[in-house]
């Protein structure tokens, strides 16, 4: 099914799942035992941009479906899966990043 943007919806879904599979496979082969995902169901307020196009694209992104698939895939690899509250991860990551010399996104991912 083609959307009016010209990119098939099934192809986008397949590309997301392939990227997730590569990430988990990489983690598995590097000895990772625990995987953390942000619990996107906890996000109640939707603060988007002023762009109508960006807001539409954000709301159509299948966060819950992707998160459920990621959890199942991670459990198949034998990882322990934890869901993290996404509320203040960037703020804590920014503080930690200054101490370690990292940017806030890398530091919040390390948390």
């Amino acid at each position: 099914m083609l959307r009016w943007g010209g990119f098939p919806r099934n192809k986008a879904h397949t590309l997301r799942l392939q990227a997730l599979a590569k990430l988990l496979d990489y983690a598995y082969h590097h000895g990772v035992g625990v995987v953390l995902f942000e619990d996107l169901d906890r996000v109640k307020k939707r603060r988007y941009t002023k762009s109508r196009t960006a807001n539409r694209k954000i709301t159509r992104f299948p966060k819950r479906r992707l998160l459920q698939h990621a959890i199942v895939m991670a459990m198949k690899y034998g990882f322990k899966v934890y869901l993290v509250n996404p509320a203040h991860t960037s703020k804590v990551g920014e503080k930690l990043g200054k101490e370690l010399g990292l940017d806030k996104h890398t530091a919040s991912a390390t948390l």
Side-chain angles (χ1 to χ4, degrees), residues 7-21:
F7 198 77
R9 183 173 297 182
N10 293 335
K11 185 176 180 181
H13 178 68
T14 303
L15 288 175
R16 282 188 211 109
L17 295 183
Q18 286 174 349
L20 181 64

Side-chain angles (χ1 to χ4, degrees), residues 86-99:
H88 302 289
T89 53
S90 294
K91 292 178 184 177
V92 175
E94 190 172 353
K95 291 178 184 175
L96 182 66
K98 287 180 182 177
E99 294 175 14

Side-chain angles (χ1 to χ4, degrees), residues 10-44:
N10 293 335
K11 185 176 180 181
H13 178 68
T14 303
L15 288 175
R16 282 188 211 109
L17 295 183
Q18 286 174 349
L20 181 64
K22 280 184 181 179
L23 176 71
L24 292 175
D25 189 51
Y26 178 84
Y28 177 76
H29 285 94
H30 284 81
V32 173
V34 177
V35 178
L36 302 171
F37 294 112
E38 287 186 349
D39 189 6
L40 300 175
D41 291 333
R42 288 188 178 201
V43 178
K44 299 294 180 191

Side-chain angles (χ1 to χ4, degrees), residues 20 24 35 37-39 64-77 79 81-83:
L20 181 64
L24 292 175
V35 178
F37 294 112
E38 287 186 349
D39 189 6
R64 182 174 293 150
R65 184 172 161 192
L66 185 64
L67 182 62
Q68 288 173 349
H69 195 80
I71 292 169
V72 170
M73 286 177 66
M75 291 174 75
K76 283 183 181 179
Y77 276 105
F79 296 136
V81 179
Y82 294 102
L83 297 178

